[in-house]
Amino acid sequence: MNRLLPRLLLTPAMATLFLWMIVPLVMTIYFSLIRYNLMQPDQSGFAGLENFEFFVTDPSFGTAVLNTVWLLGSVILITVVVGIAIALLINDPFPGRGIVRVLLISPFFVMPTVNALMWKNMMMNPIYGVLAQVWMFFGAQPIDWLTDYPLFSVIVMVSWQWLPFATLIFMTSLQSMNHEQLEAARMDGATYLQQLRYLYLPHLGRSVAVVVMIELIFLLSIFAEIYTTTGGGPGDASTNVTFLIFKQALLNFDAGVASAGALFAVVLANIAAVFLIRMVGKNLDK
């Protein structure tokens, strides 16, 4: 009875959570197996794997997958490397460290759409943006970032927003380091690079695994920055899998193909999650 009562009390909440997760998934699977184009209501019925074949053979599919990989890899690499550098830089006490930490963390709370609009209009605008003014100050021709380097521009925006998250995790991890080991290493004449290689980086291994896992799962659904700034273009230059699903759903009005693409994204996210959970588990066992 002592075991049964807590489970009975949790049953309504667990059932609600289960339905909240399973109903959209079942509907997505259903729509992915039928013909459901809003512009062609007369064509309906069971489609089998046609929607999946149409989505995979879309001319934009290969570019979207490649852009997604580049986006994920670049943002994770930037946030991990720069996040560790910033965390190490502000790890030791100095006047105003609390204010600096708050300022470093604050970009993470900016909404993705606001983040994209800020970079689009304030930073990367080729006429009155901050970067354009810097270029003209040095006598150089301003760059139209969103047109000439669309994917790189999106990577910069997303990295700027996720960098505080990685920095916060690494700062927290550094606070739990064994300072006696650091003092002993300094007394033995270890250089800072040696301390970084043999003490700091091994200690941050678990934190790096957690940051990579969380960012990889969330960055698979990057959409607002692309929609607000480049619109997936020019052409497909900045289109990722999520934006390709959007184009199929709301630009082509094909809910069946969009549902098939959504299932592809779910499978991709689950494969990445399983791989990363195993990686994190190995780090936790060390």
Side-chain angles (χ1 to χ4, degrees), residues 86-104 171 175:
I86 295 176
L88 291 170
L89 186 64
I90 63 175
N91 185 44
D92 296 327
F94 62 89
R97 184 173 67 164
I99 299 177
V100 172
R101 286 182 172 181
V102 172
L103 293 176
L104 286 173
M171 285 193 307
Q175 297 301 310

PDB file of all heavy atoms in Angstrom, residues 86-104 171 175:
ATOM      1  N   ILE A  86      35.872  31.940 -21.668  1.00  0.00           N
ATOM      2  CA  ILE A  86      35.278  32.986 -20.827  1.00  0.00           C
ATOM      3  C   ILE A  86      35.157  32.520 -19.384  1.00  0.00           C
ATOM      4  O   ILE A  86      35.422  33.288 -18.444  1.00  0.00           O
ATOM      5  CB  ILE A  86      33.897  33.391 -21.386  1.00  0.00           C
ATOM      6  CG1 ILE A  86      34.056  34.040 -22.768  1.00  0.00           C
ATOM      7  CG2 ILE A  86      33.183  34.342 -20.427  1.00  0.00           C
ATOM      8  CD1 ILE A  86      32.742  34.384 -23.432  1.00  0.00           C
ATOM      9  N   ALA A  87      34.747  31.266 -19.184  1.00  0.00           N
ATOM     10  CA  ALA A  87      34.615  30.744 -17.821  1.00  0.00           C
ATOM     11  C   ALA A  87      35.956  30.759 -17.092  1.00  0.00           C
ATOM     12  O   ALA A  87      36.033  31.108 -15.912  1.00  0.00           O
ATOM     13  CB  ALA A  87      34.044  29.327 -17.866  1.00  0.00           C
ATOM     14  N   LEU A  88      37.016  30.384 -17.787  1.00  0.00           N
ATOM     15  CA  LEU A  88      38.347  30.430 -17.173  1.00  0.00           C
ATOM     16  C   LEU A  88      38.787  31.862 -16.908  1.00  0.00           C
ATOM     17  O   LEU A  88      39.452  32.147 -15.907  1.00  0.00           O
ATOM     18  CB  LEU A  88      39.366  29.733 -18.089  1.00  0.00           C
ATOM     19  CG  LEU A  88      39.233  28.216 -18.226  1.00  0.00           C
ATOM     20  CD1 LEU A  88      40.144  27.704 -19.337  1.00  0.00           C
ATOM     21  CD2 LEU A  88      39.562  27.525 -16.906  1.00  0.00           C
ATOM     22  N   LEU A  89      38.395  32.772 -17.788  1.00  0.00           N
ATOM     23  CA  LEU A  89      38.812  34.167 -17.654  1.00  0.00           C
ATOM     24  C   LEU A  89      38.198  34.834 -16.427  1.00  0.00           C
ATOM     25  O   LEU A  89      38.848  35.654 -15.776  1.00  0.00           O
ATOM     26  CB  LEU A  89      38.431  34.933 -18.924  1.00  0.00           C
ATOM     27  CG  LEU A  89      38.911  36.378 -19.032  1.00  0.00           C
ATOM     28  CD1 LEU A  89      40.434  36.437 -19.068  1.00  0.00           C
ATOM     29  CD2 LEU A  89      38.319  37.043 -20.267  1.00  0.00           C
ATOM     30  N   ILE A  90      36.953  34.487 -16.131  1.00  0.00           N
ATOM     31  CA  ILE A  90      36.270  35.143 -15.010  1.00  0.00           C
ATOM     32  C   ILE A  90      36.174  34.230 -13.792  1.00  0.00           C
ATOM     33  O   ILE A  90      35.402  34.508 -12.867  1.00  0.00           O
ATOM     34  CB  ILE A  90      34.855  35.609 -15.426  1.00  0.00           C
ATOM     35  CG1 ILE A  90      33.983  34.399 -15.797  1.00  0.00           C
ATOM     36  CG2 ILE A  90      34.919  36.587 -16.581  1.00  0.00           C
ATOM     37  CD1 ILE A  90      32.552  34.752 -16.099  1.00  0.00           C
ATOM     38  N   ASN A  91      36.938  33.140 -13.801  1.00  0.00           N
ATOM     39  CA  ASN A  91      36.869  32.204 -12.681  1.00  0.00           C
ATOM     40  C   ASN A  91      37.482  32.778 -11.403  1.00  0.00           C
ATOM     41  O   ASN A  91      36.937  32.610 -10.310  1.00  0.00           O
ATOM     42  CB  ASN A  91      37.585  30.904 -13.052  1.00  0.00           C
ATOM     43  CG  ASN A  91      37.449  29.836 -11.989  1.00  0.00           C
ATOM     44  OD1 ASN A  91      36.371  29.619 -11.434  1.00  0.00           O
ATOM     45  ND2 ASN A  91      38.541  29.161 -11.684  1.00  0.00           N
ATOM     46  N   ASP A  92      38.603  33.468 -11.532  1.00  0.00           N
ATOM     47  CA  ASP A  92      39.258  34.062 -10.366  1.00  0.00           C
ATOM     48  C   ASP A  92      38.555  35.350  -9.961  1.00  0.00           C
ATOM     49  O   ASP A  92      38.065  36.098 -10.814  1.00  0.00           O
ATOM     50  CB  ASP A  92      40.730  34.340 -10.669  1.00  0.00           C
ATOM     51  CG  ASP A  92      41.504  33.058 -10.929  1.00  0.00           C
ATOM     52  OD1 ASP A  92      41.158  32.028 -10.315  1.00  0.00           O
ATOM     53  OD2 ASP A  92      42.447  33.081 -11.749  1.00  0.00           O
ATOM     54  N   PRO A  93      38.499  35.645  -8.653  1.00  0.00           N
ATOM     55  CA  PRO A  93      37.812  36.860  -8.186  1.00  0.00           C
ATOM     56  C   PRO A  93      38.460  38.131  -8.725  1.00  0.00           C
ATOM     57  O   PRO A  93      39.684  38.223  -8.846  1.00  0.00           O
ATOM     58  CB  PRO A  93      37.952  36.769  -6.654  1.00  0.00           C
ATOM     59  CG  PRO A  93      38.224  35.316  -6.375  1.00  0.00           C
ATOM     60  CD  PRO A  93      39.006  34.818  -7.541  1.00  0.00           C
ATOM     61  N   PHE A  94      37.641  39.107  -9.071  1.00  0.00           N
ATOM     62  CA  PHE A  94      38.100  40.430  -9.472  1.00  0.00           C
ATOM     63  C   PHE A  94      36.958  41.417  -9.224  1.00  0.00           C
ATOM     64  O   PHE A  94      35.789  41.017  -9.143  1.00  0.00           O
ATOM     65  CB  PHE A  94      38.535  40.448 -10.944  1.00  0.00           C
ATOM     66  CG  PHE A  94      37.426  40.108 -11.919  1.00  0.00           C
ATOM     67  CD1 PHE A  94      36.603  41.087 -12.438  1.00  0.00           C
ATOM     68  CD2 PHE A  94      37.221  38.790 -12.296  1.00  0.00           C
ATOM     69  CE1 PHE A  94      35.596  40.765 -13.322  1.00  0.00           C
ATOM     70  CE2 PHE A  94      36.219  38.457 -13.181  1.00  0.00           C
ATOM     71  CZ  PHE A  94      35.400  39.452 -13.698  1.00  0.00           C
ATOM     72  N   PRO A  95      37.247  42.700  -9.086  1.00  0.00           N
ATOM     73  CA  PRO A  95      36.199  43.690  -8.818  1.00  0.00           C
ATOM     74  C   PRO A  95      35.147  43.712  -9.929  1.00  0.00           C
ATOM     75  O   PRO A  95      35.479  43.787 -11.116  1.00  0.00           O
ATOM     76  CB  PRO A  95      36.971  45.017  -8.765  1.00  0.00           C
ATOM     77  CG  PRO A  95      38.370  44.627  -8.424  1.00  0.00           C
ATOM     78  CD  PRO A  95      38.602  43.294  -9.062  1.00  0.00           C
ATOM     79  N   GLY A  96      33.891  43.624  -9.515  1.00  0.00           N
ATOM     80  CA  GLY A  96      32.796  43.648 -10.476  1.00  0.00           C
ATOM     81  C   GLY A  96      32.505  42.325 -11.152  1.00  0.00           C
ATOM     82  O   GLY A  96      31.808  42.284 -12.172  1.00  0.00           O
ATOM     83  N   ARG A  97      33.014  41.221 -10.588  1.00  0.00           N
ATOM     84  CA  ARG A  97      32.798  39.926 -11.229  1.00  0.00           C
ATOM     85  C   ARG A  97      31.312  39.564 -11.272  1.00  0.00           C
ATOM     86  O   ARG A  97      30.844  38.977 -12.253  1.00  0.00           O
ATOM     87  CB  ARG A  97      33.578  38.836 -10.499  1.00  0.00           C
ATOM     88  CG  ARG A  97      33.469  37.481 -11.180  1.00  0.00           C
ATOM     89  CD  ARG A  97      34.374  36.433 -10.557  1.00  0.00           C
ATOM     90  NE  ARG A  97      33.966  36.085  -9.205  1.00  0.00           N
ATOM     91  CZ  ARG A  97      34.389  35.000  -8.554  1.00  0.00           C
ATOM     92  NH1 ARG A  97      35.258  34.193  -9.139  1.00  0.00           N
ATOM     93  NH2 ARG A  97      33.994  34.736  -7.335  1.00  0.00           N
ATOM     94  N   GLY A  98      30.560  39.910 -10.247  1.00  0.00           N
ATOM     95  CA  GLY A  98      29.132  39.600 -10.231  1.00  0.00           C
ATOM     96  C   GLY A  98      28.386  40.282 -11.363  1.00  0.00           C
ATOM     97  O   GLY A  98      27.536  39.680 -12.035  1.00  0.00           O
ATOM     98  N   ILE A  99      28.716  41.562 -11.608  1.00  0.00           N
ATOM     99  CA  ILE A  99      28.062  42.300 -12.689  1.00  0.00           C
ATOM    100  C   ILE A  99      28.442  41.699 -14.042  1.00  0.00           C
ATOM    101  O   ILE A  99      27.602  41.556 -14.934  1.00  0.00           O
ATOM    102  CB  ILE A  99      28.447  43.790 -12.621  1.00  0.00           C
ATOM    103  CG1 ILE A  99      27.975  44.390 -11.296  1.00  0.00           C
ATOM    104  CG2 ILE A  99      27.853  44.553 -13.810  1.00  0.00           C
ATOM    105  CD1 ILE A  99      28.383  45.834 -11.103  1.00  0.00           C
ATOM    106  N   VAL A 100      29.710  41.344 -14.192  1.00  0.00           N
ATOM    107  CA  VAL A 100      30.162  40.746 -15.450  1.00  0.00           C
ATOM    108  C   VAL A 100      29.439  39.433 -15.715  1.00  0.00           C
ATOM    109  O   VAL A 100      29.024  39.150 -16.842  1.00  0.00           O
ATOM    110  CB  VAL A 100      31.692  40.526 -15.414  1.00  0.00           C
ATOM    111  CG1 VAL A 100      32.154  39.719 -16.620  1.00  0.00           C
ATOM    112  CG2 VAL A 100      32.415  41.868 -15.364  1.00  0.00           C
ATOM    113  N   ARG A 101      29.248  38.636 -14.684  1.00  0.00           N
ATOM    114  CA  ARG A 101      28.553  37.358 -14.859  1.00  0.00           C
ATOM    115  C   ARG A 101      27.109  37.570 -15.301  1.00  0.00           C
ATOM    116  O   ARG A 101      26.606  36.863 -16.176  1.00  0.00           O
ATOM    117  CB  ARG A 101      28.598  36.563 -13.556  1.00  0.00           C
ATOM    118  CG  ARG A 101      29.962  35.961 -13.249  1.00  0.00           C
ATOM    119  CD  ARG A 101      29.919  35.152 -11.968  1.00  0.00           C
ATOM    120  NE  ARG A 101      31.152  34.404 -11.752  1.00  0.00           N
ATOM    121  CZ  ARG A 101      31.370  33.603 -10.719  1.00  0.00           C
ATOM    122  NH1 ARG A 101      30.425  33.450  -9.798  1.00  0.00           N
ATOM    123  NH2 ARG A 101      32.507  32.951 -10.607  1.00  0.00           N
ATOM    124  N   VAL A 102      26.438  38.544 -14.702  1.00  0.00           N
ATOM    125  CA  VAL A 102      25.050  38.824 -15.081  1.00  0.00           C
ATOM    126  C   VAL A 102      24.975  39.277 -16.538  1.00  0.00           C
ATOM    127  O   VAL A 102      24.101  38.847 -17.304  1.00  0.00           O
ATOM    128  CB  VAL A 102      24.447  39.892 -14.151  1.00  0.00           C
ATOM    129  CG1 VAL A 102      23.070  40.327 -14.660  1.00  0.00           C
ATOM    130  CG2 VAL A 102      24.336  39.359 -12.730  1.00  0.00           C
ATOM    131  N   LEU A 103      25.912  40.140 -16.950  1.00  0.00           N
ATOM    132  CA  LEU A 103      25.918  40.623 -18.332  1.00  0.00           C
ATOM    133  C   LEU A 103      26.209  39.491 -19.314  1.00  0.00           C
ATOM    134  O   LEU A 103      25.661  39.467 -20.426  1.00  0.00           O
ATOM    135  CB  LEU A 103      26.957  41.735 -18.485  1.00  0.00           C
ATOM    136  CG  LEU A 103      26.653  43.040 -17.739  1.00  0.00           C
ATOM    137  CD1 LEU A 103      27.808  44.016 -17.891  1.00  0.00           C
ATOM    138  CD2 LEU A 103      25.359  43.668 -18.248  1.00  0.00           C
ATOM    139  N   LEU A 104      27.065  38.560 -18.920  1.00  0.00           N
ATOM    140  CA  LEU A 104      27.393  37.443 -19.800  1.00  0.00           C
ATOM    141  C   LEU A 104      26.222  36.487 -19.970  1.00  0.00           C
ATOM    142  O   LEU A 104      26.041  35.898 -21.034  1.00  0.00           O
ATOM    143  CB  LEU A 104      28.606  36.682 -19.250  1.00  0.00           C
ATOM    144  CG  LEU A 104      29.972  37.362 -19.396  1.00  0.00           C
ATOM    145  CD1 LEU A 104      31.041  36.567 -18.656  1.00  0.00           C
ATOM    146  CD2 LEU A 104      30.351  37.492 -20.865  1.00  0.00           C
ATOM    147  N   MET A 171      31.169  27.755 -15.809  1.00  0.00           N
ATOM    148  CA  MET A 171      31.471  28.510 -14.588  1.00  0.00           C
ATOM    149  C   MET A 171      31.081  27.726 -13.351  1.00  0.00           C
ATOM    150  O   MET A 171      31.823  27.668 -12.369  1.00  0.00           O
ATOM    151  CB  MET A 171      30.734  29.862 -14.601  1.00  0.00           C
ATOM    152  CG  MET A 171      31.332  30.909 -15.520  1.00  0.00           C
ATOM    153  SD  MET A 171      30.655  32.564 -15.203  1.00  0.00           S
ATOM    154  CE  MET A 171      28.890  32.266 -15.302  1.00  0.00           C
ATOM    155  N   GLN A 175      33.653  25.984 -10.271  1.00  0.00           N
ATOM    156  CA  GLN A 175      33.541  26.284  -8.846  1.00  0.00           C
ATOM    157  C   GLN A 175      33.735  25.042  -7.975  1.00  0.00           C
ATOM    158  O   GLN A 175      34.037  25.151  -6.784  1.00  0.00           O
ATOM    159  CB  GLN A 175      32.170  26.913  -8.544  1.00  0.00           C
ATOM    160  CG  GLN A 175      31.939  28.246  -9.231  1.00  0.00           C
ATOM    161  CD  GLN A 175      32.968  29.275  -8.843  1.00  0.00           C
ATOM    162  OE1 GLN A 175      33.244  29.490  -7.656  1.00  0.00           O
ATOM    163  NE2 GLN A 175      33.569  29.918  -9.843  1.00  0.00           N
TER     164      GLN A 175
END
